Amino acid sequence: MSVVRPMMNRDSQFFWDGTAVGELRIPKCNACGALRFPPGPACQSCEAYDRGYQVAAGTGTVYSYVVHRHPPVPGKELPIVIAIIDLDEGVRMVGEVVGPAAEEIEIGTRLRIDYHRIDDDLTLPVWRTDS
Ligand SMILES: [Zn+2]
């Protein structure tokens, strides 16, 4: 299967190690406890480099979304639904919503994470409506 592979580097490896074992890992500053997305080298709150992560519950609410019908995306069957999700932990992340109810989401729809294993190196987080 051909997919658009996300960028993986030293700063995001922990995230992909997490999805591979079914964990949604949110970057967390060990100095001040701030949670944040996207991952970066230094804390945006206190500028510390002492960084860990917290495993999120994997539930959240649709903050905003777009149904992508055109142009084509390599390895994807259109339409795809991309949402900005407010995690219950209070941080916001972008994710793809899949499943039969994906096109029916609205702002405020409850979502639950699922994991789509591509191969040994890549497991993508996806979201489904939580019903
Ligand atoms: Zn901090």
Side-chain angles (χ1 to χ4, degrees), residues 10-58:
R10 211 169 33 139
D11 289 330
S12 64
Q13 188 60 47
F14 77 95
F15 181 85
W16 302 108
D17 289 346
T19 59
V21 296
E23 289 182 357
L24 176 62
R25 296 176 175 178
I26 308 175
K28 180 181 183 178
C29 174
N30 285 335
C32 73
L35 298 173
R36 67 216 170 84
F37 256 116
C43 176
Q44 286 156 344
S45 298
C46 73
E47 298 183 354
Y49 283 82
D50 184 10
R51 193 188 55 188
Y53 64 84
Q54 172 178 327
V55 177

Side-chain angles (χ1 to χ4, degrees), residues 69-104:
R69 299 180 193 280
H70 193 83
V73 178
K76 291 285 189 188
E77 204 169 303
L78 297 183
I80 53 178
V81 180
I82 302 295
I84 299 173
I85 301 145
D86 277 331
L87 300 186
D88 292 343
E89 285 78 10
V91 294
R92 203 164 268 174
M93 68 178 287
V94 176
E96 181 178 352
V97 184
V98 300
E103 285 182 75
E104 289 159 30

